[in-house]
Amino acid sequence: MSERIERPRGTHDVVPAEMARWRHVTDEIERLCALYGYRRILTPAFEDTALFARTSGGGSDVVQKEMYTFTDRSDRSLTLRPEGTAPICRAYVEHGMHRDPQPQKLYTIAPMYRYGAPGRGRYREHWQASVEAIGSGDPSLDAELIQLYDTLLGRLGVCSYHLELNSIGCRDCRPSYLERLRAWLADNDARLDAHTREKAATSPLRVFDNFLAKPEPVREALTEAPTIGGSLCDACVEHFRAVRADLDATGVAYRLVPTLVRGLDYYSRTTFEFVGPMENENSTITGGGRYDYLVEELGGPPTPGIGFGAGIERLLLAMAEDGVEEPPSPGIDVFFALEPGALRSAVVGWLAALRATGVSCDMDYAGRSLKGQLTQAGRLGAAATVVVAGDTATIRRPGGDDTTLPHEAVVSTLSP
RNA sequence: GUGGCGGUAGCUCAGCUGGUAGAGCCCCGGGUUGUGGUCCCGGUGGUCGCGGGUUCGAGUCCCGUCCGCCACCCCA
């Protein structure tokens, strides 16, 4: 035997046995997106490295240590997409969608790539639904998008989760907040630990990350730090109020988390995360927010936008965690089992004729005994099993009476 | 990337202080059975993650490496 080749670290296969669950999730996403007016878009798996380097932010973990970047044979720097928003915005600009009716509601379901340490619910290649509404700053759109995902969780049977919500301000108010925060961090430097100091130097907004893991004195100190919520400009306060009002109106529960900052730098105003029931730390099933400057940064006109990335694998884990039953996989219509001595040539013709009329059917290709063939019919969930003898065939249906027919009548009897 | 735990049949796992590999499920066959379910009998299937070392002898001990999981970190 040759040396065995295994799948690369951090990747996974979706085998047929899992496909019913997988399809259940993606079908529901597609159904909801259609219901909310989102249209599907497909973008390349790799992009110009600059697309992510410029938009995600140089200080972000994604850019700093998680990008799959490579040069092709012409020395172009390319990167396997780590997230879905920037590519969709790039396509929005590139195809002049800003000239189409606004907002453009777009979504994709596609694999994303991040070179991080793998674990449960954490993959180097993972699938995400990326749902984006570009071209409107209406706060109702923020709420609608959040409500869409909330509805998805409900439809999929996930109930152990909560929604964390925050506003991180805009161009007008965030800089002054940052200034105040920086000043506070400098004044209180002695009360911080090394980790927090490091964050304070690179991305001050993130000093609140992982709050619960910090030493008690540091936590105590940070509770005194100014939060963005107290520093929003009037427009941002009003926007956030309107978002919450819509969420209240649609019955979406949320927790205000004034320290919630997202991992990508392009966000502004509304940010949110849905946190699921998983035991380990990878329990964020969806994260998203508003990105009112992203399109502009990509060379388009000033254009607001909002979206989220929903991890498919984590959704599946959350469903498993909540004990959601597997949807029954559909069986085939007809299975042909041959008595010893029956001619296969006739059955081959019947299969083709029935399939042509839309009847799904199959027979044994493993040399099984009749009993084995009947077992196989059961495994395939056949609605009808046809036991083929020399000149006749007997149609069996679970719970029904057997019908024995001459060969000539088989196809017409089984056709719809 | 750092630290901790783990890796035995397709799956879930057993294998005591080193003596040369087992169970259940699955799969295949036979029998039973008023039909494809149940039950009974039998069978196929293992580079013990990989490589090296210690030893008369390694699944078992040591080193390296790969993979998984957990924590840190961050997120989907």
Side-chain angles (χ1 to χ4, degrees):
Chain A
M1 246 196 266
S2 302
E3 194 187 339
R4 217 154 124 160
I5 298 174
E6 296 174 336
R7 63 179 187 269
R9 180 166 156 82
T11 64
H12 70 288
D13 301 309
V14 182
V15 297
E18 302 167 305
M19 201 48 88
R21 286 173 185 277
W22 188 272
R23 286 291 298 268
H24 179 50
V25 168
T26 54
D27 283 357
E28 204 57 70
I29 291 170
E30 287 180 32
R31 207 169 296 137
L32 271 176
C33 282
L35 218 44
Y36 282 68
Y38 288 79
R39 297 182 301 156
R40 191 161 187 175
I41 182 171
L42 259 24
T43 65
F46 54 85
E47 295 271 1
D48 191 319
T49 300
L51 175 64
F52 304 111
R54 194 196 298 175
T55 60
S56 297
S60 70
D61 273 28
V62 170
V63 171
Q64 262 188 349
K65 47 189 187 189
E66 293 190 344
M67 294 215 300
Y68 269 100
T69 298
F70 60 97
T71 43
D72 71 4
R73 290 165 184 258
S74 303
D75 274 332
R76 279 181 278 260
S77 180
L78 302 169
T79 295
L80 261 28
R81 66 171 160 227
E83 57 104 15
T85 301
I88 289 177
C89 287
R90 191 226 81 227
Y92 174 92
V93 173
E94 193 160 335
H95 297 284
M97 293 188 211
H98 59 282
R99 314 274 316 236
D100 294 331
Q102 303 299 303
Q104 285 287 301
K105 291 175 159 185
L106 306 166
Y107 80 99
T108 196
I109 300 174
M112 306 294 163
Y113 303 85
R114 294 185 196 178
Y115 192 91
R120 180 172 146 87
R122 182 170 298 222
Y123 298 97
R124 289 185 172 177
E125 180 188 68
H126 73 279
W127 287 74
Q128 252 183 63
S130 187
V131 184
E132 317 288 341
I134 309 172
S136 166
D138 191 330
S140 288
L141 211 43
D142 304 33
E144 182 190 272
L145 198 84
I146 291 169
Q147 197 265 337
L148 186 163
Y149 190 76
D150 190 67
T151 302
L152 177 70
L153 290 178
R155 288 198 179 192
L156 293 177
V158 179
C159 39
S160 312
Y161 69 92
H162 69 270
L163 164 63
E164 300 187 350
L165 189 66
N166 192 27
S167 173
I168 58 168
C170 66
R171 265 180 191 160
D172 295 329
C173 52
R174 191 145 35 139
S176 59
Y177 165 69
L178 264 174
E179 216 168 283
R180 292 212 295 139
L181 180 60
R182 278 211 184 85
W184 186 93
L185 289 168
D187 290 346
N188 293 271
D189 189 70
R191 305 168 69 190
L192 308 177
D193 59 340
H195 260 292
T196 310
R197 277 197 201 102
E198 204 173 302
K199 286 291 173 196
T202 54
S203 43
L205 284 175
R206 315 217 56 134
V207 294
F208 302 104
D209 277 2
N210 225 262
F211 187 75
L212 293 176
K214 292 178 189 294
E216 172 61 31
V218 179
R219 274 188 286 170
E220 214 178 294
L222 283 175
T223 54
E224 297 165 23
T227 60
I228 182 73
S231 312
L232 296 179
C233 63
D234 292 348
C236 284
V237 166
E238 172 52 25
H239 184 94
F240 197 37
R241 190 206 58 74
V243 172
R244 296 196 316 264
D246 275 18
L247 289 176
D248 294 338
T250 49
V252 177
Y254 53 85
R255 294 180 195 172
L256 293 177
V257 179
T259 56
L260 174 67
V261 180
R262 304 275 308 131
L264 305 167
D265 281 5
Y266 52 62
Y267 287 112
S268 55
R269 289 193 165 168
T270 313
T271 56
F272 60 92
E273 285 186 10
F274 280 87
V275 183
M278 274 101 78
E279 292 281 329
N280 63 8
E281 291 303 307
N282 306 329
S283 53
T284 297
I285 40 183
T286 285
R290 184 158 273 289
Y291 44 83
D292 289 344
Y293 315 116
L294 180 52
V295 170
E296 192 176 349
E297 275 173 52
L298 293 175
T303 308
I306 179 159
F308 65 73
I312 306 294
E313 292 87 350
R314 288 192 183 178
L315 208 40
L316 260 352
L317 280 174
M319 289 165 70
E321 206 85 14
D322 263 354
V324 177
E325 305 256 323
E326 186 172 354
S329 38
I332 63 168
D333 297 319
V334 181
F335 187 87
F336 289 99
L338 304 205
E339 298 258 21
L343 283 177
R344 273 165 65 110
S345 51
V347 176
V348 168
W350 299 344
L351 284 168
L354 285 170
R355 286 166 178 162
T357 64
V359 174
S360 61
C361 47
D362 219 333
M363 60 183 263
D364 175 61
Y365 301 98
R368 289 186 181 84
S369 64
L370 182 58
K371 176 174 178 170
Q373 293 181 65
L374 295 176
T375 301
Q376 176 68 358
R379 272 195 291 257
L380 295 176
T385 302
V386 182
V387 180
V388 183
D391 313 307
T392 60
T394 302
I395 301 176
R396 295 178 177 179
R397 296 178 191 277
D401 292 329
D402 295 358
T403 314
T404 301
L405 309 162
H407 281 186
E408 313 83 72
V410 169
V411 170
S412 60
T413 305
L414 292 169
S415 293

